[in-house]
Amino acid sequence: MKKRNEIIIFSVFLCAALVSSLLYVVNREKALRRMKSETEDLYRQPAGQEGAGLPANLALMFPDKPGIAPFADSLALYAQKAGVRNLEVQTVEQKGTGRPGRGAKAGKGSAMRAHVIKVAMEGSYRSIAEYIRLVQNSERFCRLTELDIRPGRELLKAGMTLEIYSIGGRDAS
């Protein structure tokens, strides 16, 4: 009798696992089909309507000019809000992503460019975490590529490397 109960319980669990797996696969297939159709709709848009399916703030996320000085100002404002101290912002290098834009001007300076910025600061763990949250939630697309936090005398010392992007062009020298 005990062995029979074990077999019944095992088969019930096996059936439940099979049904849940089947539901997962069906839902996954629906989501993939929906994403594929949305992507195909974006590619089918006429050339004059390039911005129809794009976010409204795309020009803020990826501006024509690098705008490093205003971005550094916003980093200082975030530091003040988060309570970090001794903020140092340094531009390191500029590199192309190798992804030229579409259209007639694709070969002439319209490639996306990454601008690398090093940031050093001191603060408590919470203030550094709040600073990172503020930077990541800014209007400008910003990628945190490196983070180093180490103990200091009174506060933690943090260093991070950020990348911001622009569609080409140069700031005034």
Side-chain angles (χ1 to χ4, degrees):
M1 187 72 162
K2 185 176 178 183
K3 186 158 183 119
R4 186 174 184 190
N5 288 343
E6 289 176 357
I7 292 173
I8 291 173
I9 291 172
F10 177 73
S11 44
V12 166
F13 279 124
L14 187 62
C15 289
L18 184 62
V19 168
S20 64
S21 297
L22 184 63
L23 288 174
Y24 172 77
V25 168
V26 168
N27 286 336
R28 177 87 172 154
E29 286 297 319
K30 284 181 185 177
L32 286 173
R33 271 189 256 126
R34 187 181 72 242
M35 287 185 346
K36 187 176 181 181
S37 69
E38 289 174 1
T39 304
E40 288 173 356
D41 289 343
L42 284 174
Y43 282 120
R44 279 190 226 130
Q45 287 180 356
Q49 297 179 356
E50 289 182 46
L54 301 176
N57 62 348
L58 191 63
L60 294 173
M61 294 172 68
F62 303 104
D64 289 338
K65 305 280 183 194
I68 294 173
F71 184 72
D73 290 343
S74 66
L75 291 178
L77 181 67
Y78 298 149
Q80 188 178 21
K81 285 182 181 178
V84 298
R85 301 179 192 166
N86 300 331
L87 182 75
E88 295 178 18
V89 178
Q90 180 182 30
T91 304
V92 177
E93 63 182 279
Q94 179 177 341
K95 59 183 181 183
T97 62
R99 298 179 184 169
R102 296 183 187 175
K105 298 186 215 173
K108 295 188 177 181
S110 62
M112 176 121 14
R113 298 196 177 273
H115 308 278
V116 180
I117 298 172
K118 292 231 180 223
V119 179
M121 70 191 95
E122 293 180 347
S124 67
Y125 176 77
R126 286 181 186 253
S127 62
I128 292 171
E130 176 66 13
Y131 181 77
I132 293 171
R133 187 190 67 78
L134 288 169
V135 169
Q136 290 295 310
N137 290 335
S138 68
E139 290 179 337
R140 183 84 185 254
F141 180 78
C142 178
R143 190 172 142 227
L144 179 64
T145 59
E146 187 179 322
L147 177 64
D148 177 38
I149 300 177
R150 58 196 172 284
R153 288 186 180 212
E154 296 176 19
L155 300 171
L156 296 173
K157 293 184 179 189
M160 66 175 80
T161 305
L162 304 172
E163 284 184 355
I164 59 173
Y165 297 89
S166 66
I167 303 296
R170 297 182 71 146
D171 281 334
S173 299

